[in-house]
Amino acid sequence: MHKARPLHAALLALGLGMATPAMTQAQDATVPVNITAQPLDQAITRLAEQTGLNIGGDAFLLEGRTAAPLRGDYTPEQALQNLLQGTGVTYERTGSNSVLLKPQAQGSDEVSSLPPVQISAATDVNPTDTLDYGRAELETLQPQDMKDLFSEESSVSVGGPIAINQKVYVRGVEETAMAVSVDGARQNNKVFHHNATNLIDPALLKAVRASAGVAPADDGPGAIGGSLVYETIDVDDVLAPDRTVGGFVDGRYASNGEVLTTSGSVYGRAGDVELLGYVKHMDGDDYEDGNGDTVNYSKPALISGLVKIAYENDRVGRFELSHEQVNDDSGRPYRANFADLTAGRPVPESREYDLTRTNTVFNYSRDRGEGLWNPKFTLAQNETDLETREVPLTAPDVTLVYNGITGSDSASVENLFHTPFATISTGVDYYDDSATFRFAGDPDLEESAENVGAFVQLRQPVGDWLFLSYGVRYDRQQFTGVDGSDHDDSGVSANLSGEVFLNEYVSINAGYSDVWGGVALAENFILNGAWAYGDVKPVESSNYTVGLRAQADGFFGELNVYETRIENGRTPSWGGGPDQFADFDIEGFDMAAGYQHGRGALSVKYSDIRSEKDGQEATSYDGNYFTVPLGKIITVNGSLALPSAKTSLGISAEVALENEVAGGDAKQQSYQVVDIYADYRPVEALTLRLSVDNLTDEAYTDRASYGHEFPTVVTLLEPGRSFALSARYTF
């Protein structure tokens, strides 16, 4: 996705996982604006980035519309007027630095609107960002799980057919090797390699940003393979500026497994105070795969919720307290990421997995978009608790209960200096991570790591033709093993990326980073009280990416080449000891091409990713917590708006080509899966969606799922064809 250079902060800093107060920038001051011809929703976002103007509106209003290029010095309002010319969209002022978009004229050709969503820009743009989704994209996707969330990206893969076993891989790097945050809170969720790393309900999200490989220093410590940033919704994302109270109720029924999903939210504002509450529940039966066979222990059992309270005004800034909780509790295959083994020790067919992730965050920010005092503060507590319960084959009257808990207490203090030549982010951050394993009658086993870091990141426009982002951070870590031994170490990380705009149609971007990540904690379920720690090495990495982007008259294209080299990646095992290490090399390239004009869009994306461990091709077994074999993957996505019929149509497809893995004895089989949907809005308050997932009833194992290169592994096949009807009523 094309990234224009950000000159000022807008209302919400999506990428930082933190809301920021409205700007007080003088509206008669001119600023340089450089926006290429592109879809109108993207152009509006770029305008917010470059001018600091707070632009509210209706995301669906912009769908299928294209903005002409705009370059020069304008006041924010002049820039908006010029950008909207000929698009059928106009605006009205709602404050000294805020506007609300609206249709220019009513009629059959006007697009029916979705619930208002705030359009805003990030202050921490990285020229080499892999993806950047805002609320508008998420409203269109309506993701039910993490696989849906990244379904349009060939370079992002999600293994596992059910929420509890889904792991995310960005350009071949598992999320555990990335700096992952939710609302600014560090996530430390490496519990058990048979289940998900981060159990997240994507319906809670307003923004997702990934910086694969080359991540900015202010995204946090441990960005070995880049960063993955999630931000949950705020009141401003769902409540119109002229409303004080609102809400919605959602319902969805899917035929495969008879899955019923219900959710609802109530939100409001009173003066400077905002409050939002959200809850969701999924229930159903085991699904059938594409062969018509029931996949045992696959029924959904997800409950999630979010509560946020905030106080904000221009004078004191924004205070926000949020608590998020996601739980999945049900019987699963004994090893939740695959169905069975045809060889090896006998085990029960299933066991109970009760996984709960909680995230509590306090954020304060005051960013005026100018000046030298724009502070931010985050204090957070994250915990993932996995309890497994099983009945051994040799002792049918006994229930064994194992408990793994990972947690992270984290904090950061940061200030943004808006200077004439660059925006400078500098500060310190801290985390205290722990991994604990509990079994009744035995002493608790725990590893922990405490880290203090300092960072500075500059984002600098150079004229109208170059945007630079560069920074450095220093981290000092104390690691403590299960035997109580302490290991102290420190290191420096640096990053540099830039985008050169050759003209209004073509740009070239490149980035490089060296990252020091400290000692990674082992997963809870392999901790061994007999471990003796020897030379525990900090993990380090080097990353590069080079890309070309072009767009003109609605057409766009991209080409990216990248590599992540990880040195001293920790690979402990229960019997092998705590100080085992390996080197990983993950490289690949991706291409994208498409067209967006009027009311339609079409894109094709292709990725070819290869992974090695110690010079040998990595399998999904020995790549745990770092990578999986992916090979060649193609995604195709299209949409068409029919305003007179109040309808939008969409299609997405994934094609994975056959892939031989040298370390395995079987091929990863090819597959083709197609999903389609139709949205219809009969009245303003009601939105309906009819969708068909896996239209051709393909029987397949997702490329990023565990084990299909091994003939002894019975993999979990994805759900077969499913018809779904969903409805949202907004009040």
Side-chain angles (χ1 to χ4, degrees):
M1 183 176 293
H2 179 73
K3 290 291 173 189
R5 53 187 175 89
L7 302 180
H8 299 278
L11 177 65
L12 301 173
L14 301 180
L16 290 175
M18 180 182 300
T20 59
M23 302 298 102
T24 58
Q25 178 180 322
Q27 290 303 295
D28 57 353
T30 62
V31 294
V33 175
N34 182 11
I35 298 174
T36 60
Q38 58 189 284
L40 183 58
D41 58 345
Q42 298 178 22
I44 289 293
T45 301
R46 304 299 170 253
L47 183 70
E49 292 172 352
Q50 297 181 23
T51 66
L53 186 63
N54 172 24
I55 307 173
D58 207 325
F60 200 60
L61 176 65
L62 308 179
E63 186 173 291
R65 302 174 190 256
T66 302
L70 182 64
R71 177 180 293 181
D73 292 335
Y74 301 92
T75 67
E77 190 166 0
Q78 287 172 342
L80 181 62
Q81 290 172 346
N82 280 273
L83 197 68
L84 294 178
Q85 278 188 356
T87 65
V89 180
T90 186
Y91 69 93
E92 63 182 23
R93 278 191 166 276
T94 57
S96 61
N97 191 50
S98 60
V99 298
L100 179 68
L101 301 180
K102 62 181 184 179
Q104 193 167 37
Q106 299 298 320
S108 61
D109 287 337
E110 295 298 337
V111 179
S112 61
S113 62
L114 291 177
V117 296
Q118 203 73 14
I119 300 167
S120 52
T123 61
D124 60 344
V125 171
N126 179 24
T128 58
D129 277 354
T130 309
L131 61 89
D132 191 351
Y133 288 168
R135 185 64 179 167
E137 289 96 334
L138 296 176
E139 284 280 2
T140 300
L141 287 172
Q142 294 188 22
Q144 300 301 305
D145 58 16
M146 299 302 284
K147 192 181 296 290
D148 290 344
L149 177 62
F150 297 114
S151 61
E152 295 189 351
E153 306 298 327
S154 64
S155 61
V156 183
S157 299
V158 181
I162 50 180
I164 200 171
N165 63 21
Q166 291 181 342
K167 294 186 179 184
V168 178
Y169 300 87
V170 183
R171 287 184 174 170
V173 178
E174 188 184 319
E175 56 192 323
T176 312
M178 306 178 74
V180 181
S181 64
V182 178
D183 286 340
R186 172 182 170 84
Q187 304 296 291
N188 169 34
N189 301 327
K190 187 164 63 177
V191 186
F192 192 22
H193 62 274
H194 289 305
N195 60 256
T197 301
N198 289 294
L199 182 63
I200 294 176
D201 177 6
L204 298 173
L205 300 176
K206 64 180 283 184
V208 181
R209 176 175 58 83
S211 298
V214 183
D218 50 5
D219 269 2
I224 298 301
S227 60
L228 190 54
V229 177
Y230 300 97
E231 186 177 358
T232 59
I233 56 174
D234 293 325
V235 169
D236 278 346
D237 300 306
V238 287
L239 186 63
D242 58 344
R243 298 281 304 277
T244 57
V245 179
F248 63 81
V249 290
D250 268 347
R252 184 178 189 269
Y253 173 80
S255 62
N256 193 345
E258 298 185 345
V259 179
L260 181 63
T261 303
T262 54
S263 64
S265 181
V266 177
Y267 35 82
R269 64 169 71 92
D272 296 331
V273 179
E274 303 171 7
L275 182 63
L276 179 146
Y278 171 90
V279 65
K280 175 181 174 180
H281 179 241
M282 294 181 68
D283 197 10
D285 297 325
D286 296 335
Y287 67 77
E288 292 184 355
D289 61 31
N291 294 320
D293 299 325
T294 298
V295 177
N296 296 324
Y297 313 110
S298 63
K299 67 178 184 179
L302 186 75
I303 300 176
S304 64
L306 172 69
V307 176
K308 274 192 181 184
I309 185 170
Y311 175 86
E312 177 181 0
N313 67 40
D314 293 344
R315 182 174 57 87
V316 301
R318 180 178 177 88
F319 300 84
E320 179 182 280
L321 178 65
S322 66
H323 178 75
E324 173 204 3
Q325 182 164 317
V326 185
N327 172 259
D328 190 292
D329 181 7
S330 186
R332 302 300 180 195
Y334 185 80
R335 302 171 182 89
N337 57 338
F338 60 93
D340 199 6
L341 280 177
T342 59
R345 66 182 178 92
V347 296
E349 186 177 344
S350 72
R351 57 180 155 182
E352 192 86 3
Y353 283 75
D354 184 357
L355 179 66
T356 301
R357 185 183 66 85
T358 59
N359 200 54
T360 304
V361 191
F362 171 77
N363 278 313
Y364 167 74
S365 61
R366 183 172 180 263
D367 188 353
R368 298 169 298 158
E370 60 183 2
L372 302 181
W373 179 241
N374 299 280
K376 299 181 180 184
F377 172 73
T378 300
L379 182 65
Q381 197 278 332
N382 161 256
E383 182 178 276
T384 295
D385 186 335
L386 172 64
E387 182 180 278
T388 65
R389 298 181 291 275
E390 63 184 84
V391 178
L393 296 176
T394 56
D397 297 328
V398 175
T399 299
L400 299 179
V401 180
Y402 302 98
N403 193 213
I405 303 171
T406 61
S408 182
D409 297 323
S410 60
S412 66
V413 180
E414 179 184 357
N415 188 65
L416 288 175
F417 297 88
H418 295 288
T419 73
F421 72 94
T423 296
I424 305 171
S425 167
T426 184
V428 295
D429 50 35
Y430 167 84
Y431 71 74
D432 184 1
D433 289 356
S434 62
T436 306
F437 180 73
R438 291 174 180 166
F439 178 65
D442 289 351
D444 288 356
L445 302 176
E446 181 177 287
E447 284 188 348
S448 63
E450 193 171 3
N451 188 92
V452 177
F455 60 85
V456 60
Q457 185 76 25
L458 286 80
R459 297 172 172 91
Q460 179 181 2
V462 181
D464 293 331
W465 61 277
L466 174 63
F467 176 69
L468 294 173
S469 177
Y470 51 98
V472 63
R473 62 175 298 123
Y474 171 81
D475 290 287
R476 184 168 188 86
Q477 185 197 66
Q478 181 181 52
F479 171 84
T480 303
V482 296
D483 61 351
S485 60
D486 289 329
H487 308 263
D488 295 336
D489 211 335
S490 62
V492 175
S493 305
N495 70 88
L496 169 63
S497 59
E499 185 163 16
V500 179
F501 299 91
L502 302 180
N503 51 46
E504 61 182 314
Y505 305 111
V506 180
S507 67
I508 299 173
N509 66 80
Y512 180 82
S513 67
D514 273 314
V515 183
W516 184 91
V519 179
L521 300 181
E523 68 165 271
N524 308 54
F525 277 65
I526 66 167
L527 295 179
N528 186 341
W531 277 357
Y533 291 75
D535 183 16
V536 181
K537 304 174 184 177
V539 62
E540 300 182 64
S541 72
S542 61
N543 306 269
Y544 83 82
T545 178
V546 178
L548 173 70
R549 295 170 175 148
Q551 54 184 358
D553 299 326
F555 291 94
F556 65 89
E558 287 191 34
L559 172 64
N560 301 284
V561 180
Y562 42 84
E563 182 177 18
T564 292
R565 299 181 67 90
I566 299 173
E567 183 179 351
N568 300 326
R570 192 176 176 212
T571 57
S573 65
W574 188 89
D579 48 4
Q580 296 180 314
F581 301 90
D583 296 337
F584 294 87
D585 186 4
I586 305 157
E587 62 181 351
F589 69 92
D590 53 55
M591 300 183 293
Y595 179 73
Q596 181 165 346
H597 186 69
R599 301 186 181 97
L602 178 67
S603 69
V604 180
K605 300 178 182 180
Y606 171 83
S607 295
D608 188 351
I609 302 171
R610 300 291 171 178
S611 305
E612 291 185 351
K613 175 188 177 184
D614 290 334
Q616 302 294 320
E617 191 167 7
T619 67
S620 55
Y621 172 77
D622 55 25
N624 264 331
Y625 293 120
F626 291 98
T627 189
V628 290
L630 293 172
K632 302 176 177 65
I633 298 174
I634 303 167
T635 58
V636 181
N637 298 278
S639 63
L640 177 64
L642 304 173
S644 60
K646 300 181 179 180
T647 301
S648 290
L649 307 176
I651 183 170
S652 64
E654 178 179 313
V655 179
L657 305 183
E658 185 178 82
N659 188 37
E660 291 193 28
V661 182
D665 298 318
K667 295 179 180 179
Q668 292 179 314
Q669 299 299 318
S670 64
Y671 61 83
Q672 307 83 37
V673 58
V674 179
D675 302 331
I676 59 174
Y677 72 85
D679 286 342
Y680 175 59
R681 168 160 277 197
V683 294
E684 183 68 21
L686 180 64
T687 304
L688 303 174
R689 169 169 288 196
L690 175 64
S691 60
V692 184
D693 298 330
N694 195 353
L695 178 66
T696 59
D697 210 15
E698 182 87 351
Y700 73 104
T701 301
D702 186 275
R703 180 53 53 86
S705 293
Y706 180 83
H708 44 128
E709 71 271 39
F710 301 115
T712 58
V713 174
V714 180
T715 63
L716 284 170
L717 270 63
E718 296 287 320
R721 184 188 299 117
S722 182
F723 298 90
L725 177 63
S726 60
R728 166 176 288 196
Y729 179 76
T730 304
F731 55 88

